[in-house]
Amino acid sequence: MDTDPIPLSALQHWVYCPRQCALIHQEQVFADNVHTARGQAVHHLVDQPGYELKAGVKVERALPLWSERLGLIGKADLVEIHPDGTPYPVEFKHGRKRSAVHDDVQLAAQALCLEEMFNRPVPRGAIYHASSHRRREVAITEELRRLAVESAEAIRAMLASGRLPPPVNDRRCDQCSLNAICDPAGTAAIDRHVAALHSLFQPDDSEESARTSKRTKP
Ligand code: SF4
């Protein structure tokens, strides 16, 4: 890869909302809200590198990860190295146990990095939901792998273009710490007005075809 590596967290942001990803990784904007504050508190539990042995399983904390093939870089909260040598990534998230594809894609990208680093298949990992103290095991399926690879390619293209994607302007915005900066409703309204103005200056297809047929009549 001859471009800067993509942070693993960017994949999660991209799948949640491409505009959020652009604001954070392109515009370098960040803002805290209650969700980011809780997330930071949870990651504090695993942000010091180190390892321990538990019943034959080596547990690595804050393990640096990378993939030269995919141009990815980041850190795993926790990686268990099982007795047969298989890595098993565990990503910590605040909140109660819930399924979320944006969390799963980040875990899949970690698995792809670990496969390249350890030269072993990584078929599964888990999200640890701190509020409910429960793990949700995630199979690293072909679909998730493809989503991770395609998201990394889309992020690279977005960064190269320098363009800010349009706001999703839906329920995701309620939870988003960048809501005040992004102004999703206001931006979406402006986009609609611009599109309406643009359409006023576009030739009407029916008029254009009528003119063409008149010109072509004998
Ligand atoms: S407020 Fe909504 S559109 Fe804006 S970055 Fe957040 S999720 Fe995306």
Side-chain angles (χ1 to χ4, degrees), residues 31-52:
D32 275 324
N33 68 1
V34 65
H35 301 291
T36 57
R38 284 181 185 152
Q40 282 158 15
V42 166
H43 282 101
H44 202 58
L45 301 170
V46 281
D47 65 0
Q48 292 303 315
Y51 74 91
E52 56 196 313

Side-chain angles (χ1 to χ4, degrees), residues 16-17 19-20 23 167-169 172-173 176 178-179 182 184:
Y16 187 79
C17 165
R19 187 175 171 87
Q20 186 194 66
L23 286 169
V168 293
N169 194 27
R172 284 171 279 184
C173 302
C176 177
L178 302 182
N179 194 312
C182 167

Side-chain angles (χ1 to χ4, degrees), residues 156-175:
R156 198 164 279 112
M158 184 262 302
L159 292 174
S161 77
R163 281 200 293 272
L164 203 56
V168 293
N169 194 27
D170 60 20
R171 288 177 59 191
R172 284 171 279 184
C173 302
D174 300 342
Q175 311 274 317

